[in-house]
Structure formats: C-alpha cells, structure tokens
Amino acid sequence: MKIRPILATAVAAAVTMPALLLSVTPAFADGKPAAQTQDKTQDKPSIAELEKAAAAAKAAYDDAVEAESAAKAALEATLSDTNPLTVAAKAAEAAAADAAAAKVDADQAVIDAQAVVDALPETATEEEKAAAATKLTEAQADAETAKETKAAADAAVVEALDARDDERVAAARKLDQAQKATKAALADKTAADEALAKAKEEGGEDGEDCVPEARLTTVVTGLPSTVVAGTKVDFNLRVTNGTDKTMDEVLPFAYVHATDRSGLKSIDDLVHLQWSSASSSKWKTVDNKHYMDAISPLKAGAHADIKMRLKIDASAPAGNGVTFVAGDYFNDNGTCGGNPDLEGYEFLIAAAGSKPGKVDDAKPGTTKPNTSDVKTQSSTSRPVSGSLAATGSSSAMPQLALASGTAVAIGAGAVFLVRRRKAGTHA
C-alpha cells in the first residue's frame, strides 16, 4: 500500500460516500480498522539478509580471486626454467645426449677393432691374432653397455618430460577451473549487490526496514481555522527529528482537501497549497506527489521550518477543508520510516467577501487512523535528493505506508466534513 501518494484518492472517495463514512466513524472512535489482506511480501528477504548475502558473495568472490591468482602463479612456476621438474628434464636430456655420444664412440670402437682383425696378415702370430680378437670383444661389450645406457637415458628423458608436462597440464587445468570459479563468484556477487541495491532503492519493501517513527513530528502553526475564499494565508510547518540519530533525508509531506458545505462535492481544484524553504523566497506548488524538498540531513533533536501558503480561489463556495501533514525519512543504509499518523488540520472556508473577524488557529482533527501495531511497507523506489516539485518526477515516491485496513480508513479523516455539515454553519 502507498498511503501518502494515494491520500487524495482515498479522501476524495471517502467524502463522496457519506454512508460509508458514517459507518466507519465508530470503528475509528472505538478500535482499530479491520484487518485487510496484505501483499505477500513475507517471502522477500530483508535488507539485513541481503546485506549478509552480499557480504558472503563478496567474500566468496575475494576468495575466488585469491585462488585464481595462486593458480596463475603456480602455472607460471611450472613454466619456469628453475622449476624442479624442468631442471630434472633438462638434466635427463643432457644425460641422454652424453649417452648417445658415448654409444657412437663405442660403436666406432667396434668398427675399428673389427678392421684391425680383418687387416691381420697371414703371417700374424697367434699372439697378435688373440690380442686383436680381445680388443674386438671388449669393444663389442662396451658398445652393448653404451647401448643400454643410452636406452635408459632416453627412457629417463621421457619420464622427466612426462612429469614436467603433467605438472603443467594440471596447473593449467587448475587455473582454468579457478578462472571459471571467479567468473561464477563475480556473477553471484553482482546479483547480490544488485538485489541489495534494488531493495535499498525500494526502501525495504519487506516492511522490516521501514518502521513507524512517532518521534519524527510535523506540526502546523499559524493556519487560521477559517479562511476566506479569494484570499491567501501563510503558516508554518515544523519538522522535528526527536530521535537520537541523524536522518539522512527527511521528506515533508502535505496535502489539502476541501469540499463544499454539503461535504459531497470536492473543490480541490480551487484550493492551492504552496511552500517555500527558509533559504528561498520563491513559492513552489506542492506537486501531485505531495512531497517537498528533502531535508538533508536532519540531525538528532533538530528541526526545520517550512513556510506554507494556502490560497483559495474567489470562486470557491463556502465549505470545509483539511490540511494533512506528515514526514518520511530515508537513510543511506537503506533504512526508512516516518511518523505513523497523518495530522489533519481542519478549517472552514468562508465565502468570498466574508468578514470572519479574529479566529483561532486550526487544530489537528480528533479523528485519526489507528496505526498502532501496524507493520510498514514501502513503495518501489527510493527518493533522490533535490526538489521533487521542481523536477516534476513521475517515478513512484517511497513513503511510510500503513496496513491496507488503515488505507481504507484514512478516508474517514474527512469524517469531520460530515460532522461540520451537521454541527455548524458559516458565511
């Protein structure tokens, strides 16, 4: 529910249904409005839960980034010339090269020894023949040993290269997995951050972060209890932060509603509410969202005064009016809330040319919505700093919203119109 923006609709509907008003009045006087079906927001996580999820997602992402960095460093280490397996592989390759060279020499020694045997003359002695044969046998044995040594060295090279390459492949695979994990963690972190940001923009739609705050008060002074059509009156709206904490943004709210003497015909188009800040003498019309510039910030115990002006067209008939005021606050951490009661200051509208004389100031109406023990919700976007009236923003304005039963009952804030119609007359 969005009580503040729909106030005009609620009140206008109420005053066109006098039978309903009269039936609602006892409920206002004697108890709480009937409970209504609420939007199913209980399944939505709170901002606190979203903040926890976002923090967890960030921690997981940070861990993933760290793991990826470690995996990258590990891969670079396996590719380094100083890596133990790389050093071992190079050593094996060097040993294999030496073994290959030794085998070549051994094979050549066999060839040379065989040539000596083949070159012996027929006149060679038995001793010469035996010596040549012995050298050939020894050369052949050395060649066989060199062959076996080379085979072992070649096998060692293959084993060393396989170990080095396996380590590199494993490191590359771990880096790929780490990069994928980082990408997934980043996606989770982004989603968590976006969910949290959206919830903060919505002002805590689950109702746990927007809370009633009766110590944020809005008080009207100087508004006459009778205003003559064709005139304008200035009065003051004071917004006070009675809490012990600074409110980052406070949005004052005001709305005026009026009817003719019968209470059945709205004359809202003939009454105009304007405001001016203490720092500017320019009057601004309260826009269709009924909010004024944000007070940023409003410190604990501090107040801000807003100059207000009510203008009534000369063509307005004698009738009745009420000026509703309230205030909402929004903090940078996503928490929000506002005063739970809309104060309605009732006044009479006297016909143009009337001379009502000295009149008292308008007082808050005695009939108010009962908002005790009612949870709050908020609309779909958080306000931005700056003049809402000046920008004419059409985005949904966040505000403290009461339970839907109270939303219906707020129309009974116009019950005083029926009472006035019965109780008194004016010029």
Side-chain angles (χ1 to χ4, degrees), residues 217-292:
T217 59
T218 48
V219 177
V220 166
T221 56
L223 175 64
S225 57
T226 299
V227 182
V228 178
T231 66
K232 59 187 177 184
V233 294
D234 294 344
F235 59 97
N236 184 71
L237 171 62
R238 172 165 290 188
V239 183
T240 302
N241 176 7
T243 73
D244 58 359
K245 295 181 180 179
T246 295
M247 295 176 176
D248 294 327
E249 286 186 355
V250 174
L251 286 180
F253 170 93
Y255 170 68
V256 62
H257 176 63
T259 70
D260 64 1
R261 188 178 298 174
S262 70
L264 300 177
K265 180 181 178 181
S266 171
I267 56 171
D268 282 358
D269 57 335
L270 302 179
V271 294
H272 313 282
L273 196 58
Q274 296 180 310
W275 67 279
S276 175
S277 65
S279 61
S280 173
S281 60
K282 182 179 179 181
W283 289 99
K284 303 175 185 178
T285 299
V286 177
D287 69 2
N288 59 356
K289 297 296 182 182
H290 314 300
Y291 282 100
M292 289 160 274

Side-chain angles (χ1 to χ4, degrees), residues 94-110 139 141-150 153:
D98 291 342
K103 183 179 182 301
V104 170
D105 292 342
D107 289 343
Q108 186 61 47
V110 171
D142 290 343
E144 185 62 29
T145 299
K147 178 182 178 180
E148 292 174 355
T149 300
K150 180 180 182 303

Side-chain angles (χ1 to χ4, degrees), residues 410-423:
I410 193 62
V415 166
F416 80 95
L417 298 177
V418 178
R419 296 203 311 270
R420 285 278 177 82
R421 186 180 60 193
K422 291 183 176 182

Side-chain angles (χ1 to χ4, degrees), residues 10-267:
V11 175
V15 297
T16 58
M17 301 172 64
L20 174 61
L21 286 177
L22 294 175
S23 67
V24 172
T25 303
F28 256 67
D30 301 329
K32 301 178 182 178
Q36 302 291 320
T37 301
Q38 298 292 313
D39 293 336
K40 294 183 179 181
T41 58
Q42 63 270 24
D43 293 333
K44 294 184 178 181
S46 68
I47 286 182
E49 291 171 334
L50 291 174
E51 287 177 334
K52 184 177 180 180
K58 182 181 184 302
Y61 172 69
D62 291 342
D63 289 344
V65 170
E66 185 177 349
E68 180 183 342
S69 179
K72 184 177 181 181
L75 177 59
E76 291 174 347
T78 65
L79 299 176
S80 170
D81 290 340
T82 60
N83 180 58
L85 291 181
T86 301
V87 172
K90 286 183 177 181
E93 289 175 330
D98 291 342
K103 183 179 182 301
V104 170
D105 292 342
D107 289 343
Q108 186 61 47
V110 171
I111 294 173
D112 293 343
Q114 183 65 54
V116 170
V117 171
D118 294 341
L120 287 174
E122 293 181 357
T123 59
T125 64
E126 290 299 323
E127 289 80 2
E128 291 175 335
K129 290 179 180 179
T134 298
K135 286 186 177 181
L136 176 59
T137 299
E138 289 175 349
Q140 288 175 333
D142 290 343
E144 185 62 29
T145 299
K147 178 182 178 180
E148 292 174 355
T149 300
K150 180 180 182 303
D154 289 343
V157 169
V158 171
E159 183 178 357
L161 291 177
D162 285 347
R164 182 200 67 182
D165 293 344
D166 287 347
E167 184 184 51
R168 289 179 176 179
V169 169
R173 183 177 292 113
K174 285 185 178 180
L175 176 59
D176 179 65
Q177 292 173 343
Q179 289 172 333
K180 290 179 178 177
T182 299
K183 184 178 180 180
L186 178 59
D188 291 342
K189 177 181 177 297
T190 300
D193 289 343
E194 290 177 350
L196 176 59
K198 181 179 179 181
K200 286 185 176 181
E201 289 175 358
E202 293 173 352
E205 211 171 61
D206 57 329
E208 293 183 9
D209 299 281
C210 276
V211 296
E213 181 49 80
R215 291 173 295 177
L216 175 61
T217 59
T218 48
V219 177
V220 166
T221 56
L223 175 64
S225 57
T226 299
V227 182
V228 178
T231 66
K232 59 187 177 184
V233 294
D234 294 344
F235 59 97
N236 184 71
L237 171 62
R238 172 165 290 188
V239 183
T240 302
N241 176 7
T243 73
D244 58 359
K245 295 181 180 179
T246 295
M247 295 176 176
D248 294 327
E249 286 186 355
V250 174
L251 286 180
F253 170 93
Y255 170 68
V256 62
H257 176 63
T259 70
D260 64 1
R261 188 178 298 174
S262 70
L264 300 177
K265 180 181 178 181
S266 171
I267 56 171

